[in-house]
Amino acid sequence: MATTRRASHARPELEPPANQVSQLELVDLFHRRAVHELVIVEIAPLFYRLEAIISWRIGRWTLMGARGPRNFRNLETLARHLKTMGVGRTIIRLELLT
């Protein structure tokens, strides 16, 4: 009997972000009300990354996971993740690929 293979959704190979923030740090910054804006960036088709603009830090800060930058395959999953972090009334912007 022949085995079947599922199509793999390989992560896109991108350069690592310069500014990095962990999940715990980001939640702490939400509690301090230091996050001005969250940017959801489409880094490849069906791959999204979360970046924060923080009040006393320069530039965008990428949310990091255990194995590198935290990527999301689905906007619904990302929205659910944001609700569990306690985003509140923070401005959220979406940047799509052109």
Side-chain angles (χ1 to χ4, degrees):
M1 189 158 204
T3 59
T4 58
R5 279 186 108 177
R6 293 184 182 180
S8 67
H9 294 285
R11 292 183 177 198
E13 294 296 326
L14 300 171
E15 68 278 350
N19 300 326
Q20 303 171 355
V21 65
S22 71
Q23 175 89 17
L24 187 60
E25 288 176 305
L26 190 59
V27 170
D28 185 44
L29 291 168
F30 280 130
H31 289 297
R32 293 183 192 180
R33 298 183 187 260
V35 179
H36 283 299
E37 185 176 357
L38 286 174
V39 183
I40 300 170
V41 181
E42 185 181 25
I43 56 173
L46 300 177
F47 277 98
Y48 303 95
R49 184 177 288 169
L50 186 63
E51 298 179 352
I53 298 174
I54 302 169
S55 61
W56 62 80
R57 296 181 182 175
I58 297 172
R60 291 184 180 181
W61 292 77
T62 303
L63 178 64
M64 298 298 287
R67 291 177 265 159
R70 179 78 196 267
N71 296 327
F72 297 88
R73 291 186 187 176
N74 177 322
L75 285 175
E76 291 177 12
T77 306
L78 181 55
R80 193 175 324 119
H81 185 74
L82 290 174
K83 287 178 185 177
T84 60
M85 281 197 317
V87 174
R89 294 181 177 241
T90 306
I91 297 171
I92 301 173
R93 186 166 39 111
L94 179 63
E95 285 185 2
L96 299 174
L97 290 173
T98 55

